[in-house]
Amino acid sequence: MGRLFGRGAKEPAEREMGRLELSLRAVEGILRAIGVDPNAARMEVESGYGWNFQRGSALIEVYLTPEEEGYLQVLSPIMHLPGRQLLALYRRLLELNLQLTNAALGVHEDVVYLYHERLLAGLDAAEADAIIRRLAQYADELDDALAEEFGGRMYGRG
C-alpha cells in the first residue's frame, strides 16, 4: 500500500542516488560552516563528487562516491616517505592508529595518508561534520609532527 503513495521499496539505484544527493547537500553545508567555499573547493572526479581544501599545513580531500552503496571518504596526504627510518616510521604509524578516533594512517605509493571511509547509509550531517573536522585537525597536527620526527617532506610542501 505504501507504494501507492510514493513510498515503499525503491530500486537500489534510486535509493543510492537519493542518499548521494542528500549527502552532497550536507557536505556542502559543512564546508561552508568551516569556512570553505564548496564551489571553489570542487574537484573533477570520475564519479560522484570531490572537494579539496587546506587546513593549516594539511591538504584535505572529501569524496562522495556512488559505487556500491555509496561512501563518504575523507583523506589527507600527510607526507612523502623519508629515505631512512622506514621501519621506525611504520611502527609509529601503527601506534598512532590505536590513538586516532574514526581515522587511520596508511601508505600508498610513497605517501603517508590519513583517511576515513564510511557508508552513506545512516550517515547524518552531524556525523559527517565530526568526521571532516576531526580528520582535518589530525592531519594538521600529524603532518608537522611526523615530518619533524622522521625527516620526511610534508605533502603540502612539495
Side-chain angles (χ1 to χ4, degrees):
M1 187 157 137
R3 296 185 81 165
L4 294 174
F5 298 102
R7 294 186 304 257
K10 290 184 178 179
E11 294 299 316
E14 291 177 38
R15 189 171 53 242
E16 295 315 315
M17 186 53 72
R19 236 182 243 146
L20 189 66
E21 294 303 318
L22 287 172
S23 298
L24 168 65
R25 287 193 289 276
V27 168
E28 287 181 337
I30 291 161
L31 293 176
R32 280 187 206 91
I34 62 174
V36 174
D37 176 357
N39 295 320
R42 181 72 61 94
M43 296 186 307
E44 284 295 319
V45 293
E46 198 169 305
S47 66
Y49 303 95
W51 303 264
N52 66 15
F53 61 94
Q54 205 71 28
R55 188 56 73 221
S57 56
L59 174 66
I60 310 301
E61 299 175 0
V62 179
Y63 299 95
L64 290 174
T65 60
E67 285 78 26
E68 298 173 23
E69 298 179 52
Y71 288 92
L72 168 70
Q73 264 187 335
V74 185
L75 59 94
S76 178
I78 298 292
M79 65 183 272
H80 295 276
L81 289 176
R84 56 184 174 72
Q85 296 185 319
L86 286 178
L87 186 58
L89 172 62
Y90 294 152
R91 180 183 177 104
R92 183 73 175 119
L93 296 178
L94 286 172
E95 290 168 349
L96 287 167
N97 274 338
L98 284 176
Q99 298 172 24
L100 299 173
T101 302
N102 288 325
L105 289 156
V107 175
H108 177 69
E109 295 179 357
D110 75 333
V111 177
V112 175
Y113 284 87
L114 179 67
Y115 67 94
H116 176 93
E117 185 173 74
R118 162 84 161 74
L119 283 171
L120 293 179
L123 178 67
D124 63 23
E127 183 181 359
D129 181 57
I131 290 166
I132 293 169
R133 287 177 190 265
R134 182 176 297 118
L135 193 126
Q137 178 186 349
Y138 284 157
D140 188 34
E141 293 170 2
L142 288 173
D143 63 352
D144 295 305
L146 289 170
E148 183 177 321
E149 185 175 349
F150 295 100
R153 219 171 8 105
M154 285 195 303
Y155 187 86
R157 300 216 173 127

